[in-house]
Amino acid sequence: MNNKPKLIILDLDGTVYEDIHHFDYYVDSIKSLLPETTQDNFLKDYQSVLNNEHPLKFGRIYDTHNDLVIVQFNNSIEDVYTWSGSQLEQGKIQDLYPQPVNIDMQRYLSIGDLWWVPNAIAAHYGLNRTQTKQSFFKTREYMMGPDFNMIPVPGFKECLASLQSTIHLVLMTNSPQVDSEVILEKLGLKDLFTEKIFTASKPTKTIEHIKYLSEKYKVSYEEILSIGDNYINEILPASQLSCQTIYIDHHNSGYENLGIVVNSVRGLIPHLNKLID
């Protein structure tokens, strides 16, 4: 890092914990909303994405209207694929997308983390966002329950506790407050943040939130560190404001390196430990 940050913004899911077993519940919930005739294909496609054998890959964009997978880097569309993996000709791409697409999480879904993989596949098989949101809230409710155990990342709580005496720690998540607070409680992290921003509407409002935090805590953008596992939500907008970033790239997404990149929450800890006085 160029200089020690005075404020650190952390995402929740995939950033302060590494558990992923709740995604099995999430996938099963979405599957149950599909006709029985398509449920097997839904599961096959999901496994194919996890095995990196599908055109729907982490770091790409799914166009729900055209049922196409877009490869877009540095605000430029490089390739477009059909669901079966055929590559579109450049002329056809230009006709469909004369300008770079703006990710809105309605028509254009950014496959930035594991939450969005089953969402995109469900859209391919005919489900809308309202239906998949039902499964999301059902999964969060399951995570709040006493039977769902969260496994803390060793050393992470202690690291944040040491940082909070000299650095403002802010949680910024798209998840609702009620279930997020329960998750933080299970992880022992609930009282370690100066401020928590829930239902943050990232990436649409990421820059707006960072500007608000900069003004409130009287820190420059260069003194803010944004940490997250979703490049589009947490890394790209922060870098556009000249904030420092640490990208937790769980899936080797291939995004441009705009700051420090690690492949796990455990890999994040050594970088944070360097900031402890």
Side-chain angles (χ1 to χ4, degrees):
M1 299 180 200
N2 296 330
N3 54 293
K4 181 177 177 178
K6 294 181 179 179
L7 186 147
I8 298 177
I9 304 170
L10 296 114
D11 179 45
L12 177 63
D13 301 301
T15 300
V16 301
Y17 69 91
E18 292 182 331
D19 284 331
I20 60 171
H21 59 286
H22 54 283
F23 287 115
D24 292 337
Y25 184 95
Y26 183 47
V27 169
D28 285 341
S29 177
I30 292 178
K31 184 193 75 171
S32 70
L33 301 175
L34 290 164
E36 290 188 8
T37 53
T38 61
Q39 289 182 0
D40 284 346
N41 287 334
F42 170 79
L43 292 178
K44 287 178 182 176
D45 283 347
Y46 180 67
Q47 191 59 51
S48 180
V49 174
L50 297 186
N51 294 339
N52 200 30
E53 298 169 348
H54 195 282
L56 189 75
K57 300 180 186 297
F58 292 98
R60 295 184 175 181
I61 300 166
Y62 177 62
D63 179 355
T64 62
H65 287 195
N66 290 322
D67 191 33
L68 294 171
V69 179
I70 301 169
V71 182
Q72 179 171 286
F73 288 114
N74 296 324
N75 212 32
S76 173
I77 296 177
E78 298 182 357
D79 286 302
V80 176
Y81 295 90
T82 66
W83 194 258
S84 61
S86 299
Q87 192 171 6
L88 267 62
E89 296 181 355
Q90 286 300 316
K92 180 67 173 177
I93 294 174
Q94 186 63 31
D95 289 341
L96 288 170
Y97 309 106
Q99 301 294 331
V101 302
N102 293 317
I103 296 166
D104 56 13
M105 309 315 281
Q106 295 297 324
R107 172 177 175 174
Y108 297 111
L109 307 183
S110 170
I111 312 304
D113 56 42
L114 199 51
W115 287 107
W116 288 100
V117 173
N119 259 282
I121 300 172
H124 170 75
Y125 287 108
L127 294 186
N128 58 45
R129 288 280 290 117
T130 300
Q131 292 170 302
T132 54
K133 276 185 178 180
Q134 293 175 6
S135 291
F136 171 77
F137 290 126
K138 185 178 178 181
T139 302
R140 302 301 287 195
E141 184 176 353
Y142 161 68
M143 295 174 72
M144 290 170 60
D147 295 332
F148 184 83
N149 296 317
M150 303 290 295
I151 303 173
V153 176
F156 189 70
K157 174 184 175 181
E158 294 76 12
C159 177
L160 292 188
S162 297
L163 288 172
Q164 71 171 159
S165 61
T166 58
I167 299 175
H168 296 294
L169 302 180
V170 176
L171 182 83
M172 187 192 300
T173 175
N174 281 345
S175 296
Q177 180 173 358
V178 174
D179 53 90
S180 297
E181 292 279 22
V182 173
I183 290 172
L184 290 172
E185 183 76 44
K186 289 185 176 186
L187 294 167
L189 304 176
K190 189 173 182 179
D191 300 321
L192 296 181
F193 295 95
T194 308
E195 183 167 343
K196 301 168 191 169
I197 301 173
F198 303 101
T199 318
S201 298
K202 299 182 288 185
T204 306
K205 294 187 176 181
T206 303
I207 288 179
E208 178 182 329
H209 290 308
I210 294 176
K211 288 182 176 179
Y212 153 77
L213 292 170
S214 173
E215 293 174 5
K216 179 176 180 178
Y217 294 100
K218 298 183 177 8
V219 296
S220 67
Y221 297 134
E222 291 81 2
E223 294 171 325
I224 295 175
L225 169 62
S226 178
I227 302 173
D229 69 317
N230 189 312
Y231 185 91
I232 298 298
N233 285 1
E234 293 109 27
I235 305 305
L236 184 58
S239 69
Q240 290 172 341
L241 292 176
S242 299
C243 299
Q244 302 178 62
T245 62
I246 300 180
Y247 176 36
I248 307 172
D249 190 0
H250 294 292
H251 307 288
N252 193 27
S253 61
Y255 279 121
E256 178 187 8
N257 183 357
L258 295 176
I260 295 172
V261 179
V262 297
N263 59 17
S264 67
V265 180
R266 294 167 192 260
L268 169 65
I269 295 175
H271 294 282
L272 294 182
N273 280 336
K274 292 178 182 179
L275 304 178
I276 298 173
D277 287 335

